[in-house]
Amino acid sequence: LSRELGDLYSNPPPNCTIIAGGMGATAAERAARSLTDATALISTGYAGGLAAPAARGVLVVDTDSPAFALAPPAIRGRITDSQTMVATPDARARLAALTGAIAVDMESAAIARVARERGIPFAAIRVVTDGPDDTLVINWDRYRRPDGSMRTTAAVLDALRTTRGMAELLRLWYSSREATTALSAYLRSFLESR
């Protein structure tokens, strides 16, 4: 999360606590449950785009809470859950048709469940790093540890063995840099207005 939020992670507004729970539902739920004094929960980070308008670089907000009605402008749409990477345009289209979602992540559903149990507002605010037409050639699930962290060095070294793997690393590096800038600015504006 520190990578996804940039300076906002180390310098949050005084009215919020930001924690990096890790990748996946188990890690996210554990982190959300640790925030026992929270009056609202926000899941934020990167997402995969499933359908238009969730293209690379687009901010997607998924909430039905009136507490977030005055959020800065962004694409409003459903973000669904998958505990594995959705790697192909066909798989993305199928998931979009099945769920009605325009984006997918691994954490927001778990955090939403904690918010529902506590009766507090919830929003998922995600930025898309790979769009509906993108194909992921690296099997990222293979490099995820049980605690949600990634074996990044192993993933990068394997990816560097093929031209397509190198191209994907460069594309994701570039899109994640742009995504970090957009997400950090959006969240700072949103949180400082609360």
Side-chain angles (χ1 to χ4, degrees), residues 55-59 127-130 175 178-179 182:
R56 209 178 306 156
V58 169
L59 281 156
V127 63
V128 175
T129 56
D130 47 293
S175 65
E178 287 186 324

Side-chain angles (χ1 to χ4, degrees), residues 3 75 96 115 144 155 167-168 186-187 189:
R3 184 176 357 136
I75 299 297
R144 190 164 36 134
E168 182 171 315
Y186 181 89
L187 285 170
S189 169

Side-chain angles (χ1 to χ4, degrees), residues 2-106:
S2 60
R3 184 176 357 136
E4 290 139 310
L5 296 183
D7 177 56
L8 181 63
Y9 182 77
S10 58
N11 187 24
N15 61 338
C16 73
T17 300
I18 297 175
I19 62 171
M23 189 171 165
T26 302
E29 183 172 345
R30 183 175 44 250
R33 291 195 185 286
S34 76
L35 296 169
T36 56
D37 296 344
T39 57
L41 290 173
I42 298 172
S43 174
T44 189
Y46 300 151
L50 297 178
R56 209 178 306 156
V58 169
L59 281 156
V60 179
V61 176
D62 183 357
T63 186
D64 58 4
S65 173
F68 298 111
L70 298 178
I75 299 297
R76 298 291 180 125
R78 180 147 162 30
I79 300 172
T80 195
D81 173 72
S82 177
Q83 292 307 300
T84 60
M85 294 291 180
V86 184
T88 66
D90 287 345
R92 292 169 193 264
R94 282 192 304 275
L95 188 56
L98 181 68
T99 63
I102 62 171
V104 60
D105 74 9
M106 296 181 164

Side-chain angles (χ1 to χ4, degrees), residues 78-152:
R78 180 147 162 30
I79 300 172
T80 195
D81 173 72
S82 177
Q83 292 307 300
T84 60
M85 294 291 180
V86 184
T88 66
D90 287 345
R92 292 169 193 264
R94 282 192 304 275
L95 188 56
L98 181 68
T99 63
I102 62 171
V104 60
D105 74 9
M106 296 181 164
E107 299 82 20
S108 294
I111 298 169
R113 187 172 43 255
V114 173
R116 269 193 313 277
E117 288 172 8
R118 294 182 180 168
I120 59 175
F122 169 78
I125 302 173
R126 296 285 174 153
V127 63
V128 175
T129 56
D130 47 293
D133 296 325
D134 289 333
T135 297
L136 300 177
V137 297
I138 300 167
N139 180 359
W140 294 101
D141 293 325
R142 191 171 119 192
Y143 303 102
R144 190 164 36 134
R145 293 184 185 106
D147 69 355
S149 64
M150 291 292 288
R151 294 183 306 119
T152 307

Side-chain angles (χ1 to χ4, degrees), residues 150-158:
M150 291 292 288
R151 294 183 306 119
T152 307
T153 302
V156 169
L157 289 175
D158 276 356

